[in-house]
Amino acid sequence: MSINSFFKMFTPKDKVFFPLLKEASSSLIQLAELLHECVNAPKDQREAYFAEISKLEAKIEGLKQRINIELGKNFITPFDREDIFALIKAIDYVADNLNGAANRMKIYQVAKISKSIRKLTEVNLDACKLIGEAIEELKEMRNLGNINVICEKINKLEAKSDKIFDKAVQEIFENEMDAKNIIKYKEVLSSLESAADQCKSVAYVLEAISVKHS
C-alpha cells in the first residue's frame, strides 16, 4: 500500500477539519452574496447588510482560530497541517477584503454604486462559490482533478477582476472631478480587487494540496 493510499484511509473519517472548512467556505459565500445584494440595494437599506457582513467576517476569523487550536490538539489531519492553516488563512483574507470594501462604502458614505463595483462583487461571489465547490471535492480526496479545473476558473475570474479594476480606475481619473470621490471609489475598488487576488491565493493552496495527494 502506498503512503498516499494509507493517508486517504483517514480522510473520510475526519470529523474536525472538514466541518470547520465547510462552515468557513459557506460563510464566505454568504458574505459575498450579501455584499453583492448590498451594492444592488438602495442606500437606506445598506446598513443592515454592512452589519451582517461584519458578523460573518468575524465568524470566519473565529473559525480560523478554532482550526489553529485543533491543529495543535490533533495528531492525524486529513492533509498536511500547514496546508490546512494556509487554506483557512487564505479564506479569511478573502473575507477581510470583502468586509473592507463594505466598511469603505459605509465610512465614505458612498451613495452611488458604480457599475464596476457591481461587476467586481459579482466576480468575487462567483469565485467564492467555486471555493466552496473545491472544499467539497477535498472532502473525499478522490476527484482531485476536479479541483484543478475549479482553480483554473478562479484564476480566470481573478484575471477578469484585474481588467474591470484597471478600466474602472482609468474612467474615474478621466471623468471624476471631485478628489474626494476619486479616493472613495478607488478605495472600494481596490478592496474588491484585492479580494479577488486572495481568491486566487486560495486556488494556489488548493492546487498544492491536489498535487501532493494525487
Side-chain angles (χ1 to χ4, degrees), residues 18-183:
F18 280 117
L20 291 173
L21 288 169
K22 171 66 176 174
E23 189 175 358
S25 63
S26 296
S27 298
L28 182 66
I29 293 168
Q30 188 180 357
L31 192 162
E33 286 174 340
L34 287 172
L35 183 57
H36 188 53
E37 290 174 12
C38 177
V39 301
N40 286 283
K43 184 183 177 183
D44 60 359
Q45 295 179 16
R46 291 179 202 153
E47 192 63 38
Y49 284 105
F50 294 148
E52 289 303 313
I53 288 167
S54 179
K55 287 179 183 177
L56 284 166
E57 190 277 329
K59 179 182 178 181
I60 294 168
E61 173 69 25
L63 289 167
K64 184 183 75 172
Q65 293 173 356
R66 284 179 61 189
I67 286 176
N68 193 34
I69 291 170
E70 292 295 338
L71 285 170
K73 291 164 56 178
N74 288 270
F75 176 72
I76 297 174
T77 57
F79 47 93
D80 292 352
R81 57 188 64 245
E82 61 266 26
D83 289 333
I84 293 174
F85 190 69
L87 182 55
I88 186 60
K89 185 167 67 172
I91 290 172
D92 183 45
Y93 281 153
V94 178
D96 284 345
N97 281 282
L98 291 176
N99 184 51
N103 278 336
R104 282 161 177 77
M105 282 187 273
K106 177 182 177 180
I107 293 169
Y108 297 150
Q109 299 181 0
V110 177
K112 184 179 178 181
I113 302 297
S114 68
K115 191 176 294 185
S116 298
I117 289 174
R118 292 191 178 96
K119 286 181 179 179
L120 283 174
T121 59
E122 184 176 16
V123 167
N124 275 292
L125 174 55
D126 289 343
C128 289
K129 287 178 178 178
L130 289 169
I131 288 170
E133 290 179 21
I135 297 295
E136 286 292 333
E137 292 290 346
L138 274 181
K139 186 173 183 180
E140 298 299 331
M141 286 286 195
R142 289 175 184 168
N143 299 313
L144 294 177
N146 292 345
I147 292 177
N148 294 328
V149 173
I150 292 169
C151 289
E152 286 177 10
K153 292 179 180 178
I154 293 173
N155 291 339
K156 287 179 180 178
L157 286 170
E158 190 276 333
K160 182 179 179 180
S161 77
D162 285 343
K163 292 179 181 178
I164 295 170
F165 175 78
D166 290 344
K167 183 179 179 182
V169 171
Q170 182 181 355
E171 289 176 348
I172 289 172
F173 282 97
E174 285 179 352
N175 304 318
E176 184 58 62
M177 297 294 106
D178 189 327
K180 288 183 180 180
N181 284 335
I182 291 174
I183 294 171

